[in-house]
Amino acid sequence: MKCVKCGQPAVINMRQHRLGLCAEHFLEWVPAQVERAIEKYEMFAPGERVLVAVSGGKDSLSLWDILLRLGYPAEGLYINLGIPHLEYSNVSQQKVEQFAAERGAAFRVVNVQGEYGQTIPEIARRKRGRTPCSTCGLVKRHILNQVARDGGYAVLATGHQLDDEVAVLFQNTLHWATGYLARQAPTLPASHPGLVRKVKPLIRLYEREMAAYALVRGIDYVYEECPYSRGATTLFYKSLLNQLEEASPGAKQSFYLSFLQARAEGHLLPEAASEVEMHPCSRCGQSTTAPGLCAFCRLWEMDGIDHGDTENTE
Ligand code: AMP
Ligand code: FES
Ligand code: ZN
Ligand code: ZN
């Protein structure tokens, strides 16, 4: 297989685009896809301050690398969740620090235990009805939003790519979770006071393309998935969708893009699009569906019981 641009041997064949590219042209093509997504979904304008949520994994570190290459003033945020298994959180933090040091890029770290007194596994043990992963998701959402808001960033960018979004779409469709379907989008506007705009600039790229990008760019990242079990269902859906893609190249992309189009044309979910009324949390001020404390602030109450999130989730 040869690069369609220069005839050199291709390092990747992207069947859904019928496109093979050499290393040099692939490293040009990926940022161009990201730039197209930023423009098409009106994610942010040049000069707007972008906060990139970086986990130390291939997707978010590559996203940060691409935004810097494109000339956006992107700063990183790493949340140390205190996951002790194989030093998962500390090793991830080292990868982020090393990446930032190599590029002289600005970043900050929030250490959940240092800031709030307990790690994610400790909170999950204390709160009956909460798993580490549901606690982790809630804590991450809250801190990412808070740091972006308080730091005066225009927008928060995450490393979700097409495979992540398609897996979520598939899961939400299987359950006809209309509320989640209504909110699943490449750009989530700041719909309520205290919430920042959230964007997913890797939305045009498959996960294998991001893995190839990190490899070809020489980005050192954490290979391990979260050591708790949340990944299991998502990984199962991803493998089903990959079987579909194998038989029909482009199926994942078209499932997602057709969904966005149908929704934009108003053929889908009219009832779910109606606005949920939100209230500011009496402690931290972030928007929440019920008056009183938000789900994050309730985590630190000592009653031991938690009946789930009421916060505005992605
Ligand atoms: P995940 O929820 O683990 O699939 O991660 C989705 C996205 O959330 C990543 O691409 C990152 O942008 C962000 N993210 C995940 N974990 C962290 C973390 N510990 N600190 C900062 N951002 C994170
Ligand atoms: Fe963070 Fe599982 S504990 S994703
Ligand atoms: Zn080439
Ligand atoms: Zn709160």
Side-chain angles (χ1 to χ4, degrees):
M1 174 109 211
K2 289 186 175 161
C3 173
V4 298
K5 303 226 165 146
C6 70
Q8 295 293 312
V11 292
I12 187 161
N13 176 19
M14 294 168 285
R15 286 171 66 204
Q16 81 279 21
H17 301 302
R18 295 180 197 204
L19 182 65
L21 291 173
C22 70
E24 184 192 334
H25 286 117
F26 180 61
L27 290 182
E28 278 175 15
W29 181 83
V30 171
Q33 295 301 309
V34 173
E35 188 79 290
R36 276 181 68 179
I38 292 170
E39 284 168 12
K40 179 167 171 55
Y41 300 110
E42 298 175 340
M43 294 185 173
F44 43 87
E48 278 193 307
R49 284 178 72 223
V50 183
L51 184 65
V52 189
V54 278
S55 65
K58 64 181 186 316
D59 302 321
S60 51
L61 284 181
S62 295
L63 169 62
W64 196 7
D65 177 75
I66 293 163
L67 293 179
L68 292 173
R69 285 182 65 202
L70 288 170
Y72 290 103
E75 296 174 25
L77 168 61
Y78 174 71
I79 302 171
N80 188 313
L81 302 152
I83 296 171
H85 185 72
L86 297 175
E87 287 286 308
Y88 181 73
S89 291
N90 292 337
V91 171
S92 304
Q93 182 170 334
Q94 282 161 16
K95 302 285 183 197
V96 175
E97 284 170 351
Q98 185 188 326
F99 176 99
E102 281 166 10
R103 289 159 178 79
F107 80 108
R108 55 181 90 199
V109 174
V110 173
N111 187 305
V112 174
Q113 186 179 33
E115 202 81 17
Y116 300 97
Q118 279 192 318
T119 65
I120 296 298
E122 285 166 353
I123 307 168
R125 269 198 296 276
R126 182 166 55 76
K127 285 280 178 190
R128 277 173 285 131
R130 278 233 167 251
T131 62
C133 291
S134 79
T135 311
C136 167
L138 169 61
V139 167
K140 277 193 295 202
R141 273 195 307 278
H142 184 92
I143 295 177
L144 291 173
N145 187 72
Q146 187 180 35
V147 171
R149 182 193 66 180
D150 294 352
Y153 293 89
V155 62
L156 172 72
T158 54
H160 296 96
Q161 20 71 358
L162 193 45
D163 288 68
D164 292 327
E165 291 306 289
V166 171
V168 172
L169 175 60
F170 188 52
Q171 193 165 6
N172 286 341
T173 308
L174 285 180
H175 298 114
W176 284 119
T178 51
Y180 286 119
L181 285 168
R183 283 199 299 267
Q184 194 183 348
T187 298
L188 236 120
S191 53
H192 296 277
L195 290 179
V196 296
R197 191 188 330 149
K198 290 183 188 143
V199 297
K200 297 166 186 163
L202 300 181
I203 200 63
R204 296 177 62 86
L205 294 150
Y206 279 173
E207 184 159 15
R208 73 183 274 268
E209 290 152 17
M210 295 321 300
Y213 181 87
L215 188 73
V216 179
R217 272 293 275 173
I219 294 172
D220 185 19
Y221 63 89
V222 182
Y223 293 92
E224 287 75 31
E225 297 278 340
C226 156
Y228 295 102
S229 58
R230 184 210 57 164
T233 332
T234 313
L235 289 178
F236 175 63
Y237 287 135
K238 281 186 175 175
S239 95
L240 284 180
L241 289 156
N242 280 335
Q243 286 176 43
L244 182 66
E245 181 77 18
E246 188 59 35
S248 169
K252 290 188 291 192
Q253 179 179 273
S254 114
F255 178 42
Y256 184 70
L257 294 180
S258 311
F259 158 71
L260 290 186
Q261 196 179 342
R263 199 185 45 192
E265 289 169 0
H267 302 319
L268 213 56
L269 312 163
E271 81 287 5
S274 66
E275 279 287 305
V276 186
E277 201 192 334
M278 302 289 273
H279 311 263
C281 166
S282 55
R283 186 173 300 162
C284 72
Q286 278 200 27
S287 289
T288 173
T289 44
L293 292 181
C294 72
F296 177 83
C297 289
R298 283 206 315 272
L299 278 184
W300 311 101
E301 298 288 284
M302 290 300 156
D303 61 5
I305 303 164
D306 201 309
H307 300 291
D309 296 1
T310 54
E311 207 159 313
N312 184 26
T313 56
E314 284 173 295

